Amino acid sequence: MSNMPQTARGVRSFSRLLRVTPAPSWADAVAFLLLAGAAILIIGGAEGMSEPLARLNIAPVTLDPWNLPGYALRTTLRMFAALGASLGFTFVVATLAAKSKRAEMVIVPALDILQSVPILGFLTFTVTFFMGLFPGRQFGVELAAIFAIFTSQAWNMAFSFYQSLRSVPTDLEEVSRGFALSPWRRFIRLELPFATPALVWNAMMSMSGGWFFVVASEAISVGNTRIMLPGIGSWLALAIDRQDFRAVGWAVGAMAVVILLYDQFVFRPVVAWADRFRFEQTASQVAPQSWAYDLFRRARLLPVLFSPLTGFGRLMMAIDRRPARVPKARSNAKPNPMGQAAWLGLVAAALLSAAWLVIGYVASHLAWRDALDAFALACLTMLRVLVLIAIASVIWVPIGVWIGLRPRWAERLQPVAQFLAAFPANVLFPFAVIAIVHWRLSPDIWLSPLMVLGTQWYILFNVIAGASAIPTDLREAAGMFGVRRWQWWRTLIIPGIFPYYVTGALTASGGSWNASIVAEAVSWGSEHLEAHGLGTYIAKATTAGDFPRVTLGIAVMSIFVTGFNRLLWRPLYAYADRRLRLA
C-alpha cells in the first residue's frame, strides 16, 4: 500500500508526458518520404556504378530521352560524392595550412600547382590507376570520374576556408585565448562557424563549377581509350559529335531541373541554416528563407537520424579535457630557426627532385625547341586570362555587392546564378563554331570568352559571400554618418569584400587556365577551330596520347600559374590578412 502514492504519481507523470509529447506531425511524414526517396535513388544509382565494365559496351550511352533521368541521377551522385570528398579535403588541408607556418609553406604552393593542372592532365595519369584498383568493374572508372570532378571543386573550397581561418576577428581570437580553448574546441566553437557562410557559397560554386568539366570527366578520352559513362556529360559529348541540337536542348533542360532540385533541397536550406553564423552584433535585417529548412526544423525525425553524428561530437568534446593553458598569440610566436631551416631544406630538396624527374623525362623525348614553343603559347594564354579576369571583375564585383547586401534578391537569384555557373561551355561550342565560321572571325579572339564562362562565377559568388558577411552594425553606422558613393566603397565595401574577392579572383584565374584546355580547341561535328595557346597544345597532346608533351604542357602551365599567384595574389592575400581583418 505504501507504494500506491508513488505509483499514482508515476501514472500521472506518464499521462502528462503523453499529453505534452506531440504526435508525429505532417512534417515528419513529408521529411520521411523525402529522405526515403533520396535513399532509394542513391542506392539505385550506386548499384549501376558497380556493374561490370563490359556493360558499357552492351548498353552504350544513347540519345534516348527516356534514359536522361537515369543519366542525370548518375551525374548528380558523382558530383555530390566529389563534393563530400572536397569538404573532407578542405577541413584537413586548409586548416593545417592556416595553423602551421611550415605546412603552409608546402600546402599553399601545392594548391596553386594543383589548381593549375588541367582536368585532362589528371585523367591522363589516373584513369589507368583507378581502373587497375577494380579490374573489369565500372567502379574504377567511376572513381576516376569522381576524382576528376573533385579536382574542379576542392581547390576553391580549400582556398576559401584557408582565407576565412586567417581572417577570424582579433577580438574573437582574444576571447578564445581567454577561455583557454583547446585547438579542437576552438575549431568547433569559433573557426568553423565563422568560416561556414563563405564555405557554403564556395561549395555551391564548386558544385556548379563541376558541371563545367562534366563532359571531360564522363566522356573519358585518352589516346586510343574512350570510355562513355552514363551521365549528362557523356550525353552532351555524343550530341556534339552527332551535331544534334535537339539532344543538346534535352541535356540543358535536364541540367536545369537537377540544379533546381538540389538548390531547393540542399543548398537553400544550408544557406538559411548558415545565416546563424554570420559575424555581427545586431540582428540580420532579412534572414534567408527556405521552405525545406523550415520543414526539416519542424520534423523530429532528423535529430534521431543525425544522433550518431551529434553523439560523436559530444564524445569528442567530452574526451577533449586537456589542462587549460593560454596559448601565445600568433603574432608573438617565434619559430625555431634550426627547425625552420631544416624544413626549408627538406621542401627545397623535394621540389628539386620533382623538377629533376620532370625535366629528365621531357628532355629524353623532346627538344629545347618544344619547351620554347610551350612557353610562347603559355604567354598567349596568360594574356587572355589577365584580360578576361579584369573584365569579369569590372562586371561582377558591383553586381555581387548589390546582391550580397540584399538577402531577398540573393535568395531569388541564387538558383539562377547556380545554373549560369553550371552551364557547360561545351553547350555553346556549336554556336561559337557556327558564328566564327559564318562571319570569318578570329578564333584567337572569339574563343577566349569560353575560357571565363565557367570561372567568372567564382568572383561573383565570393563577392556575394563577402558582401553578405559585412556586419549589419557597420552598414548601419555608415548610413548614420552619411557615408555615400565612392567613400562608401572605399571605407566599407572594398575592405569588407577584398579578402573574399582575392579568393574568387585567384580561383577564377587558375580555373581559366584549366578551362583553356576545352575552350581554345573546340569542335562541332566535322568543324574544328583552334586558338593559339597552351590549352590547345595540351588538348592535342592528350588526344594523341603524347605523354611527354602532356607533361611539358602541364609543367609549363603550373610554372605560370604558380609564378602569377606568387607575384600578385599572395601579396594581396597577405595585405588582406594584415590590414583588412575585422577587429
Side-chain angles (χ1 to χ4, degrees):
M1 295 295 293
S2 60
N3 292 332
M4 289 298 295
Q6 296 181 2
T7 304
R9 286 197 298 270
V11 171
R12 287 194 297 271
S13 300
F14 183 71
S15 302
R16 286 196 298 270
L17 180 63
L18 290 177
R19 289 196 300 270
V20 172
T21 304
S25 63
W26 63 270
D28 290 286
V30 175
F32 175 78
L33 290 176
L34 291 176
L35 294 175
I40 292 172
L41 291 175
I42 292 172
I43 293 172
E47 288 178 351
M49 293 179 177
S50 61
E51 292 181 350
L53 191 59
R55 179 71 177 172
L56 296 179
N57 297 324
I58 299 174
V61 175
T62 62
L63 299 182
D64 184 359
W66 289 103
N67 294 333
L68 198 53
Y71 294 167
L73 173 63
R74 296 280 291 270
T75 297
T76 305
L77 291 180
R78 293 184 192 109
M79 297 189 67
F80 273 102
L83 187 66
S86 299
L87 278 173
F89 175 86
T90 296
F91 289 145
V92 175
V93 174
T95 303
L96 189 60
K99 296 293 184 181
S100 171
K101 285 290 185 182
R102 295 178 182 177
E104 182 184 28
M105 294 168 56
V106 177
I107 291 174
V108 174
L111 291 177
D112 288 339
I113 295 174
L114 288 172
Q115 76 162 347
S116 68
V117 176
I119 189 172
L120 292 181
F122 285 111
L123 284 174
T124 301
F125 299 103
T126 58
V127 170
T128 305
F129 169 75
F130 283 112
M131 291 180 67
L133 293 178
F134 301 91
R137 311 297 298 182
Q138 288 188 35
F139 194 64
V141 188
E142 292 284 354
L143 286 179
I146 292 171
F147 180 77
I149 298 172
F150 164 85
T151 61
S152 67
Q153 296 178 343
W155 324 132
N156 169 57
M157 296 169 61
F159 276 124
S160 168
F161 200 67
Y162 166 78
Q163 175 264 318
S164 296
L165 295 183
R166 295 297 300 268
S167 304
V168 175
T170 305
D171 52 351
L172 295 184
E173 288 186 335
E174 293 174 352
V175 170
S176 68
R177 287 196 294 268
F179 281 102
L181 296 182
S182 66
W184 171 253
R185 290 177 178 268
R186 173 188 169 91
F187 178 78
I188 293 297
R189 299 297 188 189
L190 171 60
E191 294 165 341
L192 181 59
F194 178 79
T196 292
L199 181 62
V200 168
W201 279 98
N202 278 278
M204 289 191 295
M205 181 61 241
S206 294
M207 186 70 174
S208 299
W211 285 98
F212 189 84
F213 296 102
V214 74
V215 173
S217 62
E218 292 182 348
I220 302 173
S221 179
V222 180
N224 296 325
T225 303
R226 184 169 177 82
I227 301 174
M228 302 280 284
L229 289 172
I232 295 179
S234 54
W235 171 290
L236 269 175
L238 187 60
I240 291 171
D241 289 341
R242 297 183 180 178
Q243 295 181 295
D244 191 337
F245 276 106
R246 184 178 180 183
V248 171
W250 277 109
V252 174
M255 281 180 51
V257 172
V258 169
I259 292 170
L260 179 63
L261 288 176
Y262 71 61
D263 172 74
Q264 290 293 318
F265 289 103
V266 179
F267 285 123
R268 187 164 294 193
V270 172
V271 169
W273 166 79
D275 187 66
R276 67 174 67 186
F277 301 118
R278 292 180 60 196
F279 173 70
E280 53 187 19
Q281 297 177 357
T282 60
S284 177
Q285 295 177 351
V286 182
Q289 299 296 321
S290 168
W291 65 268
Y293 178 64
D294 295 337
L295 170 70
F296 292 139
R297 285 187 64 187
R298 285 194 292 267
R300 294 177 300 164
L301 180 63
L302 287 185
V304 176
L305 294 178
F306 285 101
S307 57
L309 183 62
T310 56
F312 176 75
R314 293 192 184 98
L315 178 62
M316 293 297 295
M317 289 291 187
I319 294 176
D320 188 21
R321 297 293 187 185
R322 306 181 191 182
R325 66 182 183 89
V326 180
K328 295 181 180 180
R330 181 171 56 189
S331 59
N332 296 329
K334 295 181 180 180
N336 185 353
M338 295 297 293
Q340 194 80 353
W343 180 253
L344 285 173
L346 182 62
V347 172
L351 291 176
L352 289 175
S353 300
W356 180 262
L357 289 174
V358 172
I359 293 173
Y361 175 73
V362 173
S364 63
H365 295 83
L366 303 175
W368 284 106
R369 178 57 184 261
D370 296 298
L372 294 176
D373 291 341
F375 269 88
L377 294 173
C379 291
L380 294 176
T381 301
M382 183 180 68
L383 179 61
R384 291 192 183 98
V385 170
L386 287 173
V387 173
L388 292 171
I389 294 300
I391 294 174
S393 299
V394 171
I395 294 174
W396 294 115
V397 167
I399 295 176
V401 170
W402 190 88
I403 296 174
L405 296 180
R406 293 164 176 82
R408 290 191 185 277
W409 278 101
E411 181 180 344
R412 297 170 187 169
L413 296 176
Q414 177 182 322
V416 178
Q418 285 191 65
F419 177 74
L420 293 176
F423 200 82
N426 310 69
V427 175
L428 296 182
F429 286 178
F431 307 100
V433 172
I434 292 171
I436 291 173
V437 171
H438 179 73
W439 282 295
R440 299 180 179 179
L441 303 174
S442 172
D444 289 322
I445 297 176
W446 295 101
L447 287 180
S448 299
L450 297 178
M451 291 173 55
V452 80
L453 181 69
T455 59
Q456 60 185 334
W457 311 109
Y458 289 112
I459 297 175
L460 175 63
F461 275 55
N462 276 277
V463 171
I464 291 175
S468 62
I470 296 176
T472 306
D473 51 348
L474 293 183
R475 286 150 48 186
E476 291 176 350
M480 291 174 57
F481 285 104
V483 179
R484 296 287 185 272
R485 297 181 180 179
W486 170 240
Q487 186 183 12
W488 181 74
W489 280 90
R490 182 174 59 85
T491 60
L492 177 64
I493 298 301
I494 292 179
I497 68 170
F498 188 77
Y500 298 86
Y501 167 77
V502 173
T503 299
L506 185 151
T507 313
S509 175
S512 296
W513 280 92
N514 206 328
S516 67
I517 309 299
V518 296
E520 290 184 346
V522 301
S523 301
W524 174 243
S526 59
E527 293 285 350
H528 301 278
L529 294 178
E530 295 180 356
H532 295 89
L534 190 60
T536 300
Y537 181 90
I538 297 176
K540 292 171 66 176
T542 303
T543 303
D546 190 343
F547 293 106
R549 283 185 168 80
V550 171
T551 304
L552 175 61
I554 293 173
V556 171
M557 184 174 287
S558 300
I559 291 172
F560 269 75
V561 174
T562 305
F564 194 72
N565 289 348
R566 285 292 158 184
L567 293 174
L568 178 61
W569 300 121
R570 291 302 157 200
L572 293 179
Y573 250 131
Y575 175 79
D577 182 47
R578 185 175 64 252
R579 300 290 300 276
L580 300 177
R581 298 176 64 196
L582 289 171

